């Protein structure tokens, strides 16, 4: 399903579910994406990429809450794994403290 303009959409493609706002057929604004592997992302989208504030939950229960840029952890955020929290600055998915 393709929608033009600033409209709410729900797409199901390859068993993934997307809910959010579409602008000229791209994910823009805030929305939720469920990946085929069970991971989910809830947050801001820019030009079809995870960019801005968001929460990424891995299928195994690990989470990252913070800033994203171009589909990667970039900026301030907290990664939680097995009850341990790693809070600091991230660059291209790498923890830099």
């Amino acid at each position: 399903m393709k929608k033009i303009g600033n409209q709410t959409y729900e797409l199901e493609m390859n068993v993934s579910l997307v809910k959010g706002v579409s602008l000229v057929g791209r994910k823009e604004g805030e929305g939720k994406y469920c990946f085929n592997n069970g991971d989910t992302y809830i947050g801001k989208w820019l030009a079809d990429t995870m960019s801005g504030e968001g929460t990424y939950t891995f299928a195994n229960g690990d989470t990252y809450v913070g800033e994203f840029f171009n589909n990667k952890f970039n900026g301030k955020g907290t990664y939680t794994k097995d009850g341990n929290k790693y809070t600091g600055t991230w660059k291209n998915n790498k923890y830099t403290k």
Side-chain angles (χ1 to χ4, degrees):
M1 175 189 331
K2 181 178 179 183
K3 292 194 176 186
I4 305 298
N6 191 12
Q7 300 176 16
T8 299
Y9 66 89
E10 185 171 314
L11 296 175
E12 192 164 346
M13 300 173 61
N14 299 325
V15 191
S16 294
L17 180 66
V18 179
K19 293 181 181 178
V21 177
S22 176
L23 182 65
V24 191
R26 295 185 312 223
K27 292 182 284 299
E28 296 280 347
E30 295 200 28
K32 176 179 182 179
Y33 187 85
C34 299
F35 296 88
N36 289 334
N37 65 1
D39 295 355
T40 61
Y41 172 76
I42 300 171
K44 296 190 178 186
W45 295 87
L46 178 65
D48 232 16
T49 65
M50 297 180 290
S51 291
E53 294 287 326
T55 300
Y56 194 100
T57 304
F58 294 86
N60 68 3
D62 293 357
T63 60
Y64 171 81
V65 178
E67 298 172 341
F68 290 80
F69 179 71
N70 203 24
N71 289 329
K72 294 184 179 177
F73 307 160
N74 274 295
K76 296 182 184 202
T78 300
Y79 189 96
T80 304
K81 179 181 180 74
D82 300 325
N84 297 309
K85 292 187 178 201
Y86 305 91
T87 300
T89 303
W90 298 77
K91 183 168 181 161
N92 294 322
N93 287 344
K94 294 184 180 173
Y95 182 58
T96 62
K97 293 190 181 187

